[in-house]
Amino acid sequence: MKIYINNKKIKVREGQTIFEACKENGIEIPTLCFHPDLKVKAYCRICVVQIEGRKGLYAACSTKTEEGMKITTESEEISRARKINLELIFSQHQEECYDCVWNSRCQLLELAKKYEVEINKFQDRKKRYPVYNFGPVQKPILNFDSTKCIDCRNCVEICEKQGVGFLELQERGNFTEVFPSEKKEKDCVYCGQCITHCPAGSFEAEGEFEEIEKPFRENNGKLIIFQIAPSIRTSIGEEFGMEHGTAITDKLVAGIKKLGADKVFDVSVGADFTTIEEAKELKEKLETGQNMPMFTSCCPAWVKYVEFYYPEFMPNLTSARSPQMMSAGLIKTYFSEKNNISPENIFLVSVMPCISKKYEIQRPELEINGAKLIDYVMTTRELARLFIKRKIDLNKIKPQKADSPFASPSGAGVIYGASGGVMESVLRTAHKDITGKELKKIEFKEARGKAGIKGANIYMGNREVRIAVASGLGNGKKILESLKKSPNLYDCIEVMACPGGCVGGGGQPLPTSAEIRKKRAEGLYKIDKKGKVRLAHKNPEVKEIYKNFLTNERIIREICHTTYSKKEKK
Amino acid sequence: MEKDIIQKLKDSGLTGRGGAGFPAGVKWEAVKNASQKFSVKTYIICNAAEGEPDVFKDKFILDNYLPEIINGIKIALNTFENSVAYIYLNHNYYDESKDKIERTASGLPISLVKKPDKYIAGEETSVIEVIEGKRPEPRLKPPYPTEAGLWGGPTLINNVETFYYVSKVSKGEYKNTRFFCVSGDVKNKGVFELSENFTVKEILRQTQNFPEADFFVQVGGGACGQILLTNELNQPVCGAGSIVVYDKEKTDLFELMKKWADFFIKGNCDKCVPCREGVYRISEMVKTRKIDKKILEDLCFVLENTSFCPLGKSAAISFKSLINKLIIPTGKLF
């Protein structure tokens, strides 16, 4: 099919929208409510264009191209419409650009400049609207500031798509608006996808701005230890203008040191412990056939999802702790003993791609000796903001290695950040556990890629292991529903709450899309490929700790494993 | 089986009576084609959602011509293989007439659905959403309901008056008439069946409703309709079949605009920016009894040109015509 855009002849495929045709041909069309992860809704009316022979303006995102269509994407009339609609959008949105997850790089501001929008033309309609906190009353996890909401409803859609449905539409006076559900059977699991899909910065992690200095202000002279998650090494660079997927582990370590941290540890080493414990459990479960299939439990949003929405599946969750908690436990015991520092004198901060990790550290099930292990969880965005505030430019900093004894992860520990990574790591180690032999071919490509649900039958010797990998809680829900009907479908299942896994986490830099997540994941797989040690159980640091510290079942159980309990809405 | 009803409808020139005036025969043909092409279940919806101020002809037809309506639906059921029908009713009409309609329709695959009390719930794709159990919100078009409507199947959605006239056409009794509601500052308020080609003036004269005092009218719906002055009455009624007469002297124009604004703000779905925010800003402006002409023009511009569905587009018509014709000439209020 041929169409004309701004008098230029363009070939399009049947069914392509005007927006898609423009994008493919490098013609810029402004959008706001459009998000590549979501359905086309056409609510914001910013992407409007003219079509010859038709009255009015048409939304480029939702209008399909037709043979011979003549489209104009810029004109006085179009600019006028965009400007007025933007002014109306700004009339809902209370600006707080100085503390916004978008770090002043949002589409709203960009368009305001482009269309010379008077952002205060109308009084803010939502000035007196409330801020809703989600999570425990004492220590909420994230919040929804409805004074900023522009009613694009992306959050409602993603929350529904996540299989959660906690954000819903309700009437407020004459308006239909977004509310957190009051229903007892709906609760937030803190995946934070509302944050990454809101164009207006209405959602943010609790303390995302106010508390980022906390580790350096409230440490009371304690030893400040930072531990960094696998996935953030290929995403934080985006905040400094680097290409998506650029791996900067050592620069990141150097940056954190410059902030004033005494030690920087790599949570990917913790992930290696998780792999070993999980592989052990998988082997046992395959033998006994009890509580099968086994579910991964690294993702606290997934864990809460099971505990709240599908408690009947709690016995399926592996008892192995998540990497963040695994390494935190070892820091507060092994490291502490070895270096003669009392655990109370360590101020431990995690940097995570994730909102629900802020919740995970509050779980009483994860305390050791009655004490919480981690003092503060900072997201990728928060850390970047702190760097920027302190004028630390990761482009220019001299790289530094992470600190021993959690300095050198296996490649398996690094790929935890991508959907399928945990599964692949566990399979690499389980193969040895089950067959007694090391793998010839280390990679499990079946577990990789951006598909929402991936499945494969893997052979370990004669034994067939049926695996499934889901990312995006909605896909996790699909698997749970299919297990309700046929419990014997799989042996091992990995679920990550966020699309693409942790690379698409709720704490990651904005914006996000499948393309961006793919590049972040590729960055992680490259690290694995280049690494000398690619198997968790071959990691010398890990072996050392098993040899000298995790020497009996009791201590392993205490530090490396956990329990689950049914959660109710409070 | 009804022979060639589609041809008969085409020949009759009957247009849809929901307001958009789409040729009925063409719509029926499109549904028939889709129904045959996909050979799936086909849905028929008789829309009696009527919810605009000063429009009450659907109620009149339901009260007086129910058997004809049911016959019209029956003709559709016979025309489309493997079809079922819904009568979608304004919530008040549902409460009042449910039993009566069910009795009249008994034995036919016809179900009744109650419309939520929200104007947008009467828009055809919103009707489909409601029947599917969702919020009343218009869908993106295409696909058009004729191809993929209710539950994704080909769907014929016609106004209750259209079904009445389908029955008339099939019997050869259709005489190019339609129903007009006349109300406001008139002596003889009511619903009248008259030639569809009658001008506003002729309708007012014919029904003994032509006022003596100076007046203006709102034609085509008591909220979406446009304002016509006495020198503009030589034209037929467009949109919904209604004429509201206003005494020029007695009518408070801001109160009138407030009535519209309240109606739109309550009746829209709030999903698109121009309609949700534009209507709100107009309503705020009307409350202050001060109109900023530039801002109003801007708001009407985006309503008319960028709204998601016809509701937002039509919301601009009434305000624009009233202000241009009745407020600007007085030179006041700016």
Side-chain angles (χ1 to χ4, degrees), chain A residues 41-43 45 56-57 62 80 85 91-92 123 125 150-151 153 171 174-176, chain B residues 135 137 265 269-274 276-277 280-281 298 301-302 305-308:
Chain A
K41 293 187 289 295
Y43 295 171
R45 318 308 283 177
L57 301 171
S62 63
R80 182 183 176 203
N85 281 340
S91 77
Q92 304 177 256
Q123 276 209 332
R125 166 164 85 76
I150 60 168
D151 287 315
R153 303 182 184 178
E171 310 290 318
N174 289 317
F175 294 101
T176 306
Chain B
R135 306 182 67 80
E137 285 174 3
I265 213 168
C269 80
D270 290 337
K271 74 179 184 182
C272 82
V273 168
R276 178 182 69 242
E277 302 304 325
Y280 170 73
R281 293 297 159 184
D298 281 350
F301 176 78
V302 288
N305 289 290
T306 73
S307 290
F308 186 99

mmCIF file of all heavy atoms in Angstrom, chain A residues 41-43 45 56-57 62 80 85 91-92 123 125 150-151 153 171 174-176, chain B residues 135 137 265 269-274 276-277 280-281 298 301-302 305-308:
data_model
loop_
_atom_site.group_PDB
_atom_site.id
_atom_site.type_symbol
_atom_site.label_atom_id
_atom_site.label_comp_id
_atom_site.label_asym_id
_atom_site.label_seq_id
_atom_site.Cartn_x
_atom_site.Cartn_y
_atom_site.Cartn_z
ATOM 1 N N LYS A 41 -4.757 3.496 23.098
ATOM 2 C CA LYS A 41 -5.982 3.979 23.726
ATOM 3 C C LYS A 41 -6.506 5.251 23.081
ATOM 4 O O LYS A 41 -7.684 5.521 23.072
ATOM 5 C CB LYS A 41 -5.743 4.208 25.224
ATOM 6 C CG LYS A 41 -5.492 2.905 25.963
ATOM 7 C CD LYS A 41 -5.426 3.107 27.466
ATOM 8 C CE LYS A 41 -4.195 3.824 27.911
ATOM 9 N NZ LYS A 41 -2.950 3.073 27.677
ATOM 10 N N ALA A 42 -5.591 6.083 22.608
ATOM 11 C CA ALA A 42 -5.976 7.317 21.917
ATOM 12 C C ALA A 42 -6.743 8.276 22.823
ATOM 13 O O ALA A 42 -7.739 8.853 22.420
ATOM 14 C CB ALA A 42 -6.779 6.990 20.660
ATOM 15 N N TYR A 43 -6.308 8.417 24.059
ATOM 16 C CA TYR A 43 -7.001 9.302 24.999
ATOM 17 C C TYR A 43 -6.448 10.729 25.020
ATOM 18 O O TYR A 43 -7.173 11.659 25.300
ATOM 19 C CB TYR A 43 -6.886 8.756 26.426
ATOM 20 C CG TYR A 43 -7.559 7.442 26.697
ATOM 21 C CD1 TYR A 43 -7.349 6.774 27.897
ATOM 22 C CD2 TYR A 43 -8.437 6.881 25.767
ATOM 23 C CE1 TYR A 43 -7.972 5.569 28.172
ATOM 24 C CE2 TYR A 43 -9.052 5.664 26.033
ATOM 25 C CZ TYR A 43 -8.814 5.008 27.235
ATOM 26 O OH TYR A 43 -9.421 3.828 27.517
ATOM 27 N N ARG A 45 -4.982 12.677 22.736
ATOM 28 C CA ARG A 45 -5.271 13.494 21.549
ATOM 29 C C ARG A 45 -4.157 14.486 21.225
ATOM 30 O O ARG A 45 -4.410 15.609 20.793
ATOM 31 C CB ARG A 45 -6.621 14.234 21.687
ATOM 32 C CG ARG A 45 -7.733 13.417 22.276
ATOM 33 C CD ARG A 45 -7.962 12.093 21.620
ATOM 34 N NE ARG A 45 -8.668 12.147 20.356
ATOM 35 C CZ ARG A 45 -8.908 11.062 19.615
ATOM 36 N NH1 ARG A 45 -8.507 9.876 20.016
ATOM 37 N NH2 ARG A 45 -9.551 11.179 18.465
ATOM 38 N N GLY A 56 -11.935 17.473 10.516
ATOM 39 C CA GLY A 56 -11.370 17.286 11.851
ATOM 40 C C GLY A 56 -9.973 16.697 11.801
ATOM 41 O O GLY A 56 -9.356 16.573 10.748
ATOM 42 N N LEU A 57 -9.475 16.358 12.981
ATOM 43 C CA LEU A 57 -8.129 15.806 13.091
ATOM 44 C C LEU A 57 -8.239 14.359 13.577
ATOM 45 O O LEU A 57 -9.205 14.001 14.250
ATOM 46 C CB LEU A 57 -7.308 16.636 14.083
ATOM 47 C CG LEU A 57 -7.157 18.120 13.727
ATOM 48 C CD1 LEU A 57 -6.518 18.886 14.876
ATOM 49 C CD2 LEU A 57 -6.350 18.315 12.451
ATOM 50 N N SER A 62 -4.117 5.656 16.563
ATOM 51 C CA SER A 62 -5.215 4.702 16.430
ATOM 52 C C SER A 62 -5.782 4.630 15.019
ATOM 53 O O SER A 62 -6.570 3.744 14.718
ATOM 54 C CB SER A 62 -6.346 5.070 17.399
ATOM 55 O OG SER A 62 -6.880 6.333 17.072
ATOM 56 N N ARG A 80 -2.042 24.060 16.881
ATOM 57 C CA ARG A 80 -3.015 24.705 17.766
ATOM 58 C C ARG A 80 -3.718 23.650 18.625
ATOM 59 O O ARG A 80 -3.825 23.800 19.846
ATOM 60 C CB ARG A 80 -4.041 25.473 16.921
ATOM 61 C CG ARG A 80 -5.059 26.214 17.757
ATOM 62 C CD ARG A 80 -6.115 26.904 16.919
ATOM 63 N NE ARG A 80 -7.117 27.506 17.775
ATOM 64 C CZ ARG A 80 -8.355 27.793 17.390
ATOM 65 N NH1 ARG A 80 -8.733 27.551 16.145
ATOM 66 N NH2 ARG A 80 -9.199 28.331 18.232
ATOM 67 N N ASN A 85 -4.708 21.071 23.789
ATOM 68 C CA ASN A 85 -4.858 19.823 24.556
ATOM 69 C C ASN A 85 -3.768 19.670 25.608
ATOM 70 O O ASN A 85 -4.021 19.165 26.705
ATOM 71 C CB ASN A 85 -4.906 18.612 23.620
ATOM 72 C CG ASN A 85 -6.275 18.448 22.981
ATOM 73 O OD1 ASN A 85 -7.276 18.984 23.483
ATOM 74 N ND2 ASN A 85 -6.347 17.734 21.871
ATOM 75 N N SER A 91 -3.505 21.409 33.023
ATOM 76 C CA SER A 91 -4.462 21.935 34.002
ATOM 77 C C SER A 91 -4.837 20.859 35.019
ATOM 78 O O SER A 91 -5.446 21.142 36.033
ATOM 79 C CB SER A 91 -5.714 22.448 33.293
ATOM 80 O OG SER A 91 -6.552 21.371 32.907
ATOM 81 N N GLN A 92 -4.487 19.606 34.754
ATOM 82 C CA GLN A 92 -4.742 18.537 35.720
ATOM 83 C C GLN A 92 -3.511 18.235 36.526
ATOM 84 O O GLN A 92 -3.582 17.605 37.568
ATOM 85 C CB GLN A 92 -5.072 17.227 34.991
ATOM 86 C CG GLN A 92 -6.183 17.275 34.045
ATOM 87 C CD GLN A 92 -6.297 15.900 33.391
ATOM 88 O OE1 GLN A 92 -5.911 15.719 32.253
ATOM 89 N NE2 GLN A 92 -6.824 14.943 34.121
ATOM 90 N N GLN A 123 -6.057 27.010 36.230
ATOM 91 C CA GLN A 123 -5.700 26.587 37.591
ATOM 92 C C GLN A 123 -5.698 25.074 37.680
ATOM 93 O O GLN A 123 -6.540 24.423 37.076
ATOM 94 C CB GLN A 123 -6.763 27.121 38.560
ATOM 95 C CG GLN A 123 -6.505 28.529 38.982
ATOM 96 C CD GLN A 123 -7.068 28.772 40.370
ATOM 97 O OE1 GLN A 123 -8.022 28.132 40.781
ATOM 98 N NE2 GLN A 123 -6.483 29.713 41.071
ATOM 99 N N ARG A 125 -6.643 21.726 38.429
ATOM 100 C CA ARG A 125 -7.923 21.184 38.885
ATOM 101 C C ARG A 125 -7.762 20.213 40.058
ATOM 102 O O ARG A 125 -8.661 20.044 40.867
ATOM 103 C CB ARG A 125 -8.576 20.460 37.692
ATOM 104 C CG ARG A 125 -9.719 19.556 38.009
ATOM 105 C CD ARG A 125 -10.504 19.233 36.775
ATOM 106 N NE ARG A 125 -10.008 18.127 35.970
ATOM 107 C CZ ARG A 125 -10.150 16.846 36.296
ATOM 108 N NH1 ARG A 125 -10.743 16.505 37.405
ATOM 109 N NH2 ARG A 125 -9.699 15.902 35.490
ATOM 110 N N ILE A 150 -2.739 12.562 34.950
ATOM 111 C CA ILE A 150 -3.362 13.153 33.758
ATOM 112 C C ILE A 150 -4.403 12.216 33.133
ATOM 113 O O ILE A 150 -4.794 12.378 31.980
ATOM 114 C CB ILE A 150 -2.307 13.591 32.717
ATOM 115 C CG1 ILE A 150 -1.463 12.395 32.246
ATOM 116 C CG2 ILE A 150 -1.413 14.698 33.284
ATOM 117 C CD1 ILE A 150 -0.606 12.696 31.024
ATOM 118 N N ASP A 151 -4.832 11.240 33.893
ATOM 119 C CA ASP A 151 -5.939 10.371 33.479
ATOM 120 C C ASP A 151 -5.704 9.587 32.199
ATOM 121 O O ASP A 151 -6.662 9.272 31.487
ATOM 122 C CB ASP A 151 -7.240 11.191 33.332
ATOM 123 C CG ASP A 151 -7.813 11.600 34.675
ATOM 124 O OD1 ASP A 151 -7.858 10.752 35.568
ATOM 125 O OD2 ASP A 151 -8.202 12.776 34.822
ATOM 126 N N ARG A 153 -4.660 6.615 32.199
ATOM 127 C CA ARG A 153 -5.084 5.278 32.610
ATOM 128 C C ARG A 153 -4.082 4.170 32.254
ATOM 129 O O ARG A 153 -4.425 2.994 32.268
ATOM 130 C CB ARG A 153 -6.479 4.938 32.042
ATOM 131 C CG ARG A 153 -7.525 5.967 32.465
ATOM 132 C CD ARG A 153 -8.899 5.618 31.942
ATOM 133 N NE ARG A 153 -9.887 6.654 32.257
ATOM 134 C CZ ARG A 153 -11.152 6.615 31.883
ATOM 135 N NH1 ARG A 153 -11.593 5.583 31.197
ATOM 136 N NH2 ARG A 153 -11.981 7.574 32.199
ATOM 137 N N GLU A 171 -15.718 6.589 40.327
ATOM 138 C CA GLU A 171 -16.262 7.931 40.127
ATOM 139 C C GLU A 171 -15.806 8.839 41.277
ATOM 140 O O GLU A 171 -15.803 8.436 42.430
ATOM 141 C CB GLU A 171 -17.792 7.903 40.132
ATOM 142 C CG GLU A 171 -18.396 6.861 39.219
ATOM 143 C CD GLU A 171 -18.218 7.175 37.753
ATOM 144 O OE1 GLU A 171 -18.395 8.351 37.367
ATOM 145 O OE2 GLU A 171 -17.880 6.249 36.983
ATOM 146 N N ASN A 174 -18.013 14.300 39.251
ATOM 147 C CA ASN A 174 -18.376 14.084 37.862
ATOM 148 C C ASN A 174 -17.287 13.393 37.055
ATOM 149 O O ASN A 174 -17.425 13.234 35.853
ATOM 150 C CB ASN A 174 -18.712 15.422 37.207
ATOM 151 C CG ASN A 174 -20.026 15.973 37.713
ATOM 152 O OD1 ASN A 174 -20.987 15.223 37.852
ATOM 153 N ND2 ASN A 174 -20.060 17.259 38.017
ATOM 154 N N PHE A 175 -16.207 13.028 37.690
ATOM 155 C CA PHE A 175 -15.089 12.455 36.947
ATOM 156 C C PHE A 175 -14.892 10.972 37.256
ATOM 157 O O PHE A 175 -15.175 10.521 38.355
ATOM 158 C CB PHE A 175 -13.791 13.211 37.269
ATOM 159 C CG PHE A 175 -13.808 14.630 36.775
ATOM 160 C CD1 PHE A 175 -14.068 15.684 37.628
ATOM 161 C CD2 PHE A 175 -13.570 14.903 35.431
ATOM 162 C CE1 PHE A 175 -14.096 16.995 37.169
ATOM 163 C CE2 PHE A 175 -13.592 16.213 34.956
ATOM 164 C CZ PHE A 175 -13.854 17.263 35.831
ATOM 165 N N THR A 176 -14.405 10.270 36.252
ATOM 166 C CA THR A 176 -14.025 8.872 36.430
ATOM 167 C C THR A 176 -12.520 8.850 36.561
ATOM 168 O O THR A 176 -11.826 9.228 35.627
ATOM 169 C CB THR A 176 -14.449 8.050 35.201
ATOM 170 O OG1 THR A 176 -15.840 8.265 34.979
ATOM 171 C CG2 THR A 176 -14.192 6.578 35.415
ATOM 172 N N ARG B 135 -17.307 -0.958 31.291
ATOM 173 C CA ARG B 135 -17.684 0.430 31.544
ATOM 174 C C ARG B 135 -18.247 1.035 30.262
ATOM 175 O O ARG B 135 -17.806 0.697 29.169
ATOM 176 C CB ARG B 135 -16.460 1.274 31.919
ATOM 177 C CG ARG B 135 -15.629 0.758 33.050
ATOM 178 C CD ARG B 135 -14.505 1.745 33.302
ATOM 179 N NE ARG B 135 -15.067 2.981 33.806
ATOM 180 C CZ ARG B 135 -15.420 3.149 35.067
ATOM 181 N NH1 ARG B 135 -15.246 2.196 35.935
ATOM 182 N NH2 ARG B 135 -15.937 4.285 35.464
ATOM 183 N N GLU B 137 -17.988 3.105 27.642
ATOM 184 C CA GLU B 137 -17.008 3.960 26.974
ATOM 185 C C GLU B 137 -16.993 3.619 25.507
ATOM 186 O O GLU B 137 -17.065 2.450 25.142
ATOM 187 C CB GLU B 137 -15.611 3.708 27.540
ATOM 188 C CG GLU B 137 -15.395 4.312 28.901
ATOM 189 C CD GLU B 137 -14.050 3.934 29.509
ATOM 190 O OE1 GLU B 137 -13.265 3.247 28.829
ATOM 191 O OE2 GLU B 137 -13.813 4.321 30.659
ATOM 192 N N ILE B 265 -20.817 17.158 31.491
ATOM 193 C CA ILE B 265 -19.785 16.789 32.462
ATOM 194 C C ILE B 265 -20.173 15.503 33.194
ATOM 195 O O ILE B 265 -19.334 14.692 33.539
ATOM 196 C CB ILE B 265 -19.527 17.986 33.414
ATOM 197 C CG1 ILE B 265 -18.071 18.002 33.824
ATOM 198 C CG2 ILE B 265 -20.402 17.976 34.621
ATOM 199 C CD1 ILE B 265 -17.674 19.269 34.506
ATOM 200 N N CYS B 269 -17.531 10.233 29.189
ATOM 201 C CA CYS B 269 -16.851 9.068 29.774
ATOM 202 C C CYS B 269 -15.532 9.439 30.412
ATOM 203 O O CYS B 269 -14.923 8.615 31.080
ATOM 204 C CB CYS B 269 -16.645 7.984 28.723
ATOM 205 S SG CYS B 269 -15.240 8.276 27.630
ATOM 206 N N ASP B 270 -15.046 10.646 30.193
ATOM 207 C CA ASP B 270 -13.804 11.143 30.815
ATOM 208 C C ASP B 270 -12.528 10.536 30.260
ATOM 209 O O ASP B 270 -11.484 10.677 30.876
ATOM 210 C CB ASP B 270 -13.801 10.903 32.341
ATOM 211 C CG ASP B 270 -14.792 11.792 33.060
ATOM 212 O OD1 ASP B 270 -15.139 12.849 32.507
ATOM 213 O OD2 ASP B 270 -15.227 11.419 34.159
ATOM 214 N N LYS B 271 -12.598 9.833 29.151
ATOM 215 C CA LYS B 271 -11.325 9.255 28.749
ATOM 216 C C LYS B 271 -10.495 10.146 27.846
ATOM 217 O O LYS B 271 -9.276 10.108 27.920
ATOM 218 C CB LYS B 271 -11.472 7.827 28.242
ATOM 219 C CG LYS B 271 -12.075 7.647 26.897
ATOM 220 C CD LYS B 271 -12.092 6.145 26.597
ATOM 221 C CE LYS B 271 -12.587 5.875 25.211
ATOM 222 N NZ LYS B 271 -12.637 4.436 24.959
ATOM 223 N N CYS B 272 -11.110 10.954 26.993
ATOM 224 C CA CYS B 272 -10.252 11.791 26.154
ATOM 225 C C CYS B 272 -10.137 13.207 26.712
ATOM 226 O O CYS B 272 -11.052 13.734 27.324
ATOM 227 C CB CYS B 272 -10.659 11.759 24.688
ATOM 228 S SG CYS B 272 -12.004 12.840 24.234
ATOM 229 N N VAL B 273 -8.978 13.786 26.485
ATOM 230 C CA VAL B 273 -8.633 15.079 27.084
ATOM 231 C C VAL B 273 -9.604 16.207 26.700
ATOM 232 O O VAL B 273 -10.120 16.896 27.575
ATOM 233 C CB VAL B 273 -7.174 15.452 26.737
ATOM 234 C CG1 VAL B 273 -6.872 16.898 27.086
ATOM 235 C CG2 VAL B 273 -6.214 14.507 27.444
ATOM 236 N N PRO B 274 -9.869 16.429 25.411
ATOM 237 C CA PRO B 274 -10.694 17.591 25.083
ATOM 238 C C PRO B 274 -12.075 17.532 25.722
ATOM 239 O O PRO B 274 -12.588 18.556 26.198
ATOM 240 C CB PRO B 274 -10.786 17.554 23.555
ATOM 241 C CG PRO B 274 -10.311 16.213 23.139
ATOM 242 C CD PRO B 274 -9.386 15.735 24.205
ATOM 243 N N ARG B 276 -13.124 15.615 28.454
ATOM 244 C CA ARG B 276 -13.074 15.628 29.927
ATOM 245 C C ARG B 276 -12.704 17.015 30.444
ATOM 246 O O ARG B 276 -13.421 17.599 31.249
ATOM 247 C CB ARG B 276 -12.062 14.601 30.419
ATOM 248 C CG ARG B 276 -11.895 14.564 31.923
ATOM 249 C CD ARG B 276 -10.844 13.563 32.360
ATOM 250 N NE ARG B 276 -9.495 13.974 31.970
ATOM 251 C CZ ARG B 276 -8.703 13.300 31.156
ATOM 252 N NH1 ARG B 276 -9.115 12.166 30.624
ATOM 253 N NH2 ARG B 276 -7.510 13.751 30.839
ATOM 254 N N GLU B 277 -11.583 17.543 29.956
ATOM 255 C CA GLU B 277 -11.085 18.814 30.493
ATOM 256 C C GLU B 277 -11.743 20.020 29.828
ATOM 257 O O GLU B 277 -11.980 21.029 30.476
ATOM 258 C CB GLU B 277 -9.563 18.889 30.346
ATOM 259 C CG GLU B 277 -8.822 17.755 31.032
ATOM 260 C CD GLU B 277 -9.137 17.626 32.519
ATOM 261 O OE1 GLU B 277 -9.347 18.666 33.190
ATOM 262 O OE2 GLU B 277 -9.186 16.477 33.007
ATOM 263 N N TYR B 280 -15.154 20.561 31.228
ATOM 264 C CA TYR B 280 -15.010 21.061 32.598
ATOM 265 C C TYR B 280 -14.686 22.556 32.598
ATOM 266 O O TYR B 280 -15.270 23.341 33.337
ATOM 267 C CB TYR B 280 -13.911 20.276 33.326
ATOM 268 C CG TYR B 280 -13.525 20.868 34.662
ATOM 269 C CD1 TYR B 280 -14.379 20.762 35.755
ATOM 270 C CD2 TYR B 280 -12.323 21.558 34.820
ATOM 271 C CE1 TYR B 280 -14.042 21.319 36.977
ATOM 272 C CE2 TYR B 280 -11.978 22.115 36.046
ATOM 273 C CZ TYR B 280 -12.840 21.998 37.119
ATOM 274 O OH TYR B 280 -12.511 22.555 38.323
ATOM 275 N N ARG B 281 -13.755 22.953 31.731
ATOM 276 C CA ARG B 281 -13.368 24.375 31.701
ATOM 277 C C ARG B 281 -14.527 25.245 31.210
ATOM 278 O O ARG B 281 -14.714 26.357 31.685
ATOM 279 C CB ARG B 281 -12.131 24.570 30.822
ATOM 280 C CG ARG B 281 -10.874 23.941 31.391
ATOM 281 C CD ARG B 281 -10.466 24.559 32.714
ATOM 282 N NE ARG B 281 -9.592 23.637 33.451
ATOM 283 C CZ ARG B 281 -9.131 23.877 34.680
ATOM 284 N NH1 ARG B 281 -9.450 24.988 35.327
ATOM 285 N NH2 ARG B 281 -8.363 22.992 35.284
ATOM 286 N N ASP B 298 -10.972 28.263 21.662
ATOM 287 C CA ASP B 298 -9.948 27.217 21.720
ATOM 288 C C ASP B 298 -10.541 25.891 22.196
ATOM 289 O O ASP B 298 -10.280 24.834 21.615
ATOM 290 C CB ASP B 298 -8.815 27.617 22.684
ATOM 291 C CG ASP B 298 -7.842 28.600 22.050
ATOM 292 O OD1 ASP B 298 -7.943 28.823 20.822
ATOM 293 O OD2 ASP B 298 -6.984 29.139 22.780
ATOM 294 N N PHE B 301 -12.653 24.403 19.646
ATOM 295 C CA PHE B 301 -11.828 23.902 18.542
ATOM 296 C C PHE B 301 -11.331 22.480 18.816
ATOM 297 O O PHE B 301 -11.453 21.599 17.972
ATOM 298 C CB PHE B 301 -10.645 24.858 18.311
ATOM 299 C CG PHE B 301 -9.678 24.386 17.263
ATOM 300 C CD1 PHE B 301 -9.979 24.533 15.914
ATOM 301 C CD2 PHE B 301 -8.475 23.783 17.614
ATOM 302 C CE1 PHE B 301 -9.095 24.088 14.929
ATOM 303 C CE2 PHE B 301 -7.592 23.327 16.650
ATOM 304 C CZ PHE B 301 -7.902 23.481 15.307
ATOM 305 N N VAL B 302 -10.807 22.266 20.003
ATOM 306 C CA VAL B 302 -10.309 20.903 20.283
ATOM 307 C C VAL B 302 -11.452 19.913 20.489
ATOM 308 O O VAL B 302 -11.336 18.737 20.112
ATOM 309 C CB VAL B 302 -9.307 20.832 21.467
ATOM 310 C CG1 VAL B 302 -7.981 21.437 21.077
ATOM 311 C CG2 VAL B 302 -9.856 21.433 22.743
ATOM 312 N N ASN B 305 -12.617 19.112 16.899
ATOM 313 C CA ASN B 305 -11.651 18.500 15.983
ATOM 314 C C ASN B 305 -10.879 17.318 16.541
ATOM 315 O O ASN B 305 -10.337 16.530 15.780
ATOM 316 C CB ASN B 305 -10.644 19.547 15.513
ATOM 317 C CG ASN B 305 -11.284 20.527 14.567
ATOM 318 O OD1 ASN B 305 -11.615 20.185 13.439
ATOM 319 N ND2 ASN B 305 -11.503 21.741 15.045
ATOM 320 N N THR B 306 -10.815 17.208 17.860
ATOM 321 C CA THR B 306 -9.931 16.151 18.384
ATOM 322 C C THR B 306 -10.609 15.198 19.362
ATOM 323 O O THR B 306 -9.941 14.321 19.897
ATOM 324 C CB THR B 306 -8.656 16.737 19.055
ATOM 325 O OG1 THR B 306 -9.011 17.335 20.307
ATOM 326 C CG2 THR B 306 -7.977 17.779 18.198
ATOM 327 N N SER B 307 -11.918 15.359 19.597
ATOM 328 C CA SER B 307 -12.561 14.439 20.549
ATOM 329 C C SER B 307 -12.544 13.015 20.030
ATOM 330 O O SER B 307 -12.541 12.776 18.827
ATOM 331 C CB SER B 307 -14.011 14.848 20.793
ATOM 332 O OG SER B 307 -14.040 16.036 21.525
ATOM 333 N N PHE B 308 -12.555 12.086 20.970
ATOM 334 C CA PHE B 308 -12.507 10.659 20.640
ATOM 335 C C PHE B 308 -13.785 10.212 19.932
ATOM 336 O O PHE B 308 -13.753 9.439 19.003
ATOM 337 C CB PHE B 308 -12.332 9.874 21.938
ATOM 338 C CG PHE B 308 -12.130 8.391 21.770
ATOM 339 C CD1 PHE B 308 -10.851 7.855 21.832
ATOM 340 C CD2 PHE B 308 -13.203 7.534 21.576
ATOM 341 C CE1 PHE B 308 -10.648 6.493 21.691
ATOM 342 C CE2 PHE B 308 -13.007 6.167 21.430
ATOM 343 C CZ PHE B 308 -11.731 5.644 21.481
#
